[in-house]
Protein backbone atom coordinates (compact mmCIF):
# COMPACT_ATOMS: atom_id res chain seq x y z
CA UNK A 1 0.00 0.00 0.00
CA UNK A 2 1.30 3.42 -0.88
CA UNK A 3 1.89 6.06 1.78
CA UNK A 4 0.41 8.60 -0.62
CA UNK A 5 -3.02 7.04 -0.14
CA UNK A 6 -3.02 8.11 3.50
CA UNK A 7 -1.13 11.39 3.20
CA UNK A 8 -2.75 14.00 5.44
CA UNK A 9 -1.67 17.60 4.87
CA UNK A 10 0.35 19.04 7.75
CA UNK A 11 -2.09 21.96 7.98
CA UNK A 12 -4.91 19.50 8.73
CA UNK A 13 -2.85 17.77 11.42
CA UNK A 14 -1.99 21.14 12.98
CA UNK A 15 -5.64 22.20 12.92
CA UNK A 16 -6.74 18.98 14.62
CA UNK A 17 -4.01 19.35 17.25
CA UNK A 18 -5.05 22.94 18.01
CA UNK A 19 -8.62 21.73 18.51
CA UNK A 20 -7.80 18.68 20.64
CA UNK A 21 -4.94 19.88 22.84
CA UNK A 22 -7.00 22.21 25.07
CA UNK A 23 -9.59 19.47 25.64
CA UNK A 24 -6.91 16.92 26.50
CA UNK A 25 -5.23 19.35 28.88
CA UNK A 26 -8.57 20.15 30.49
CA UNK A 27 -9.37 16.47 31.00
CA UNK A 28 -6.00 15.58 32.51
CA UNK A 29 -6.21 18.51 34.89
CA UNK A 30 -9.25 16.89 36.55
CA UNK A 31 -8.96 14.38 39.38
CA UNK A 32 -10.40 11.62 37.19
CA UNK A 33 -8.00 12.40 34.36
CA UNK A 34 -5.02 12.48 36.71
CA UNK A 35 -6.07 9.15 38.27
CA UNK A 36 -6.37 7.52 34.83
CA UNK A 37 -2.98 8.90 33.82
CA UNK A 38 -1.40 7.46 36.95
CA UNK A 39 -3.01 4.07 36.24
CA UNK A 40 -1.69 4.19 32.68
CA UNK A 41 1.83 5.00 33.92
CA UNK A 42 1.68 2.06 36.32
CA UNK A 43 0.57 -0.28 33.52
CA UNK A 44 3.39 0.96 31.29
CA UNK A 45 5.96 0.35 34.04
CA UNK A 46 4.60 -3.16 34.57
CA UNK A 47 4.84 -3.91 30.84
CA UNK A 48 8.38 -2.51 30.69
CA UNK A 49 9.42 -4.64 33.66
CA UNK A 50 8.08 -7.82 32.05
CA UNK A 51 10.05 -7.10 28.86
CA UNK A 52 13.34 -6.85 30.76
Amino acid sequence: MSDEKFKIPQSEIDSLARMLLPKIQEYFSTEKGWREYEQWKQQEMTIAETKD
Side-chain angles (χ1 to χ4, degrees):
M1 221 182 266
S2 171
D3 287 342
E4 291 298 316
K5 185 174 181 179
F6 298 104
K7 184 71 174 155
I8 300 171
Q10 187 62 44
S11 61
E12 293 296 320
I13 295 170
D14 293 344
S15 178
L16 181 62
R18 278 192 297 276
M19 180 187 76
L20 290 177
L21 183 59
K23 296 294 184 186
I24 293 169
Q25 289 172 323
E26 180 182 331
Y27 176 74
F28 282 106
S29 70
T30 66
E31 185 176 333
K32 180 182 177 192
W34 185 253
R35 209 171 34 248
E36 288 185 8
Y37 173 67
E38 290 297 323
Q39 289 172 351
W40 173 82
K41 279 193 334 187
Q42 195 67 352
Q43 288 172 347
E44 290 298 306
M45 286 193 305
T46 301
I47 291 168
E49 289 170 357
T50 60
K51 288 183 179 180
D52 290 338

